[in-house]
Amino acid sequence: MASIAIEEKLAQPALADKSMMTKVVVSSFIGNTIEFYDFLVYGLAAALVFGKVFFPNSTPLAAILASFATFGVGFVARPLGGIFFGHLGDTVGRKKTLVITLVGMGTATSLIGLLPTYDQIGVLAPVLLVILRFLQGFAVGGEWGGAMLIVVENAPANRRGFFSAWPQTGGFSGQLLATGAFTLVGFLPDDQLLSWGWRLPFLASAILVAFGLYLRSKLDETAVFKQTQAQAKSQEPHPAPFVEVFSKSWRSLLLIMLLRFAESVPFFLVTVFAVSYATGQLGVPKQTLLNVIMVTCLIAFPAHGFFGALSDKVGRRPIYIFGALFAAASAFPFFYLLQTGNMLLIALGYVLLINVAHNSINAVQPSFFTELFGARVRYSGASIGHQFGAIVAGGATPFVAKSLSAADGNGWTYVAAYVVVGALVSALAAYFGPETSKRILTETR
């Protein structure tokens, strides 16, 4: 018992340092905000602008599909970034790696805002767009795993779910900022929006990056990483972290990929596809959707805190199963409410599918996913698993949803069924997965 207590103390060095814990949480929150701001600004631009700016000679449907395809390119790059930056994070350090990913995300996003259009340089414009989208996704691939595990490795053992849930709300603060940015430029006349207005949200990313870099410069390396590095000097050499993850922890990687369906499919459905579908097919005013999304984002903050704290008491699996089943049950009601065109009813649909179903899942992912791996390969394991899941469950969602809608005569039944199937897959994965809330983070297994 004494040895376990000593090991747990080493694993949780920040218990008495509330100031450092605050810095860690805020820093990770800002990093996650930037990650999602960059990606969601791109998603909104793909839905509302890029078809006309970069694919003007295509039919409307082909232009939308091409825009969403470039959205998916970023997700293809994510696991490659997860492998590369996961290796750096497990060998060089969490803090240094997170500085690199932050600069990479911000640089790629800002350069997208400076791209010439198709009318200016022809086919080279969408080619450059795809390249920058790839680089953006590559940097993002190493951001989430590091930002989340640096919180988990510093948090008290009995509050890892609660503390790591707050940085996860960066997805919603990023959504608020991205939606707010497009709301502001949306007041511009169409010719100004298509010529220069759409660029402003991308260029604004540089401001967020500067703030994030300042915060991360104040952080210390985690004691878990330092202890793992010290132990490695007295042990036999190990394979590269990503090799060890694929060879010994592939079940955990597969589990994360399956778990992500219930979280990623609903999120990107309502933030990307639903905006395009509701405004294009249902005639819902664009501003109505943007207002509803912003309200949903505000509710997400207390929801994450609640579900994260609850997972510390009852475990990660019960919360995840609840959220996945609720997502399955909410898919069809969401579209019924969406097609009413009534702002209050649309907001109700978003609250059910996002604030209850998605938020309960999203809140426990940082603790659940990082706790699945040993200290020596935690950055690699969490990053690779999360980003491979992003390809399968997230990056393809707008494209798949648009294709399913077209196959259904521009309807939504097939799309709702897609959400149900994905959510049930995640519920089963969580049911058969391990409970991780009591694990000691210094274990290297």
Side-chain angles (χ1 to χ4, degrees):
M1 293 297 293
S3 62
I4 294 177
I6 293 172
E7 186 175 24
E8 186 63 22
K9 182 178 180 180
L10 288 170
Q12 311 298 339
L15 285 175
D17 193 345
K18 294 182 180 180
S19 175
M20 179 56 67
M21 195 68 233
T22 299
K23 291 178 182 178
V24 169
V25 171
V26 173
S27 169
S28 294
F29 167 76
I30 294 297
N32 204 30
T33 296
I34 295 170
E35 171 187 344
F36 275 87
Y37 174 82
D38 290 354
F39 255 57
L40 293 170
V41 158
Y42 192 102
L44 287 170
L48 302 173
V49 175
F50 280 174
K52 298 176 183 178
V53 173
F54 291 102
F55 307 97
N57 296 328
S58 304
T59 64
L61 175 60
I64 289 285
L65 290 176
S67 297
F68 285 159
T70 62
F71 182 81
V73 166
F75 285 88
V76 174
R78 280 185 168 201
L80 298 178
I83 293 172
F84 178 80
F85 291 112
H87 177 81
L88 285 184
D90 284 325
T91 56
V92 176
R94 292 24 171 158
K95 176 183 174 179
K96 293 179 181 178
T97 304
L98 286 171
V99 169
I100 297 172
T101 59
L102 191 63
V103 172
M105 288 191 304
T107 300
T109 302
S110 297
L111 288 176
I112 289 174
L114 298 174
L115 276 180
T117 65
Y118 185 93
D119 289 339
Q120 293 172 316
I121 60 172
V123 71
L124 185 59
V127 170
L128 291 174
L129 178 66
V130 170
I131 292 173
L132 288 176
R133 179 62 173 166
F134 182 90
L135 294 175
Q136 185 191 55
F138 187 78
V140 167
E143 170 65 27
W144 185 90
M148 296 305 135
L149 74 85
I150 203 171
V151 175
V152 171
E153 289 186 345
N154 279 289
N158 63 341
R159 303 195 72 191
R160 295 195 296 244
F162 173 76
F163 278 110
S164 62
W166 291 107
Q168 190 76 328
T169 61
F172 292 89
S173 55
Q175 180 70 65
L176 275 173
L177 292 173
T179 304
F182 263 92
T183 297
L184 292 176
V185 299
F187 289 115
L188 294 170
D190 284 348
D191 60 331
Q192 295 182 33
L193 174 64
L194 294 176
S195 62
W196 58 268
W198 67 269
R199 301 177 183 277
L200 299 181
F202 287 90
L203 297 174
S205 176
I207 301 173
L208 295 174
V209 170
F211 184 45
L213 284 175
Y214 169 76
L215 289 174
R216 287 191 173 168
S217 68
K218 304 296 182 181
L219 299 184
D220 295 326
E221 188 55 81
T222 71
V224 173
F225 174 77
K226 292 178 180 178
Q227 180 182 345
T228 302
Q229 291 296 98
Q231 291 175 342
K233 295 179 180 179
S234 60
Q235 296 174 346
E236 292 291 327
H238 292 278
F242 75 91
V243 173
E244 188 169 342
V245 166
F246 280 113
S247 62
K248 297 182 179 180
S249 300
W250 61 269
R251 292 179 180 84
S252 294
L253 294 181
L254 178 60
L255 176 63
I256 292 176
M257 292 172 63
L258 296 176
L259 289 173
R260 290 218 61 189
F261 274 96
E263 170 259 325
S264 291
V265 172
F267 183 77
F268 287 105
L269 173 74
V270 303
T271 57
V272 180
F273 169 77
V275 174
S276 175
Y277 179 77
T279 56
Q281 299 298 324
L282 302 179
V284 178
K286 178 173 62 178
Q287 193 58 49
T288 296
L289 266 295
L290 296 179
N291 289 339
V292 168
I293 290 173
M294 285 192 282
V295 170
T296 306
C297 290
L298 291 174
I299 299 174
F301 291 94
H304 275 73
F306 171 76
F307 287 115
L310 190 59
S311 77
D312 286 326
K313 296 183 180 298
V314 304
R316 319 300 185 211
R317 291 174 60 251
I319 303 299
Y320 216 103
I321 293 170
F322 162 79
L325 293 178
F326 203 97
S330 302
F332 279 87
F334 171 81
F335 280 101
Y336 279 120
L337 295 170
L338 185 66
Q339 70 180 1
T340 67
N342 182 286
M343 182 174 175
L344 291 178
L345 293 178
I346 292 174
L348 175 61
Y350 270 78
V351 168
L352 292 175
L353 189 56
I354 295 300
N355 294 129
V356 179
H358 173 275
N359 289 177
S360 58
I361 294 170
N362 203 51
V364 301
Q365 279 190 354
S367 52
F368 195 3
F369 291 3
T370 56
E371 289 164 350
L372 285 169
F373 301 94
R376 190 171 55 245
V377 299
R378 184 168 292 127
Y379 201 132
S380 296
S383 297
I384 295 170
H386 192 265
Q387 303 310 337
F388 267 107
I391 290 183
V392 178
T397 294
F399 186 86
V400 170
K402 187 66 179 179
S403 301
L404 289 173
S405 177
D408 192 27
N410 291 324
W412 53 265
T413 305
Y414 293 171
V415 179
Y418 176 56
V419 176
V420 172
V421 172
L424 292 178
V425 166
S426 293
L428 284 172
Y431 178 80
F432 289 106
E435 180 55 60
T436 62
S437 58
K438 304 302 180 183
R439 287 188 173 171
I440 298 173
L441 294 186
T442 49
E443 292 177 347
T444 57
R445 52 84 186 95

